[in-house]
Amino acid sequence: GLPSKGSALHAVGKCRPCAWLWKATGCQNGQACEHCHACPPGELKERKRLKAAKREKAGAPAQAGCGPMGEPAIIERLPRPVKIDSALVKIDSALLR
């Protein structure tokens, strides 16, 4: 059988590498994982590098720091200091939405 459900397209290069498989804790989904467990360590990082290089070559702006759904980078969602009546108060930007 296959190492995982998501490994079915590995032979044709259309799989999506599992980000958890090579971590210390491993993939908790096992054979039911929708991502490929047949890819070697570092494959996910290499594919991201190639995708960024392709995007850069095409002249598209880099998307470093953007969330997966286009939301602002995490640094933009952290509480920011705001000056109110000479006092410094931290406001969580999530509350402002």
Side-chain angles (χ1 to χ4, degrees), residues 7-88:
S7 300
L9 298 174
H10 180 78
V12 292
K14 298 287 184 183
C15 62
R16 296 174 60 205
C18 179
W20 293 100
L21 181 65
W22 299 103
K23 305 279 185 196
T25 56
C27 178
Q28 302 298 307
N29 297 322
Q31 285 188 311
C33 184
E34 298 284 334
H35 300 283
C36 185
H37 286 192
C39 287
E43 180 68 17
L44 185 61
K45 190 173 187 175
E46 177 65 12
R47 289 191 188 185
K48 285 182 180 182
R49 187 190 66 76
L50 291 172
K51 186 176 179 180
K54 184 178 178 182
R55 188 173 41 240
E56 186 178 314
K57 186 176 180 182
Q63 295 182 358
C66 290
M69 303 302 285
E71 71 266 23
I74 188 76
I75 194 78
E76 295 173 24
R77 292 183 292 191
L78 294 174
R80 61 178 188 259
V82 177
K83 197 171 187 176
I84 302 174
D85 294 331
S86 301
L88 209 52

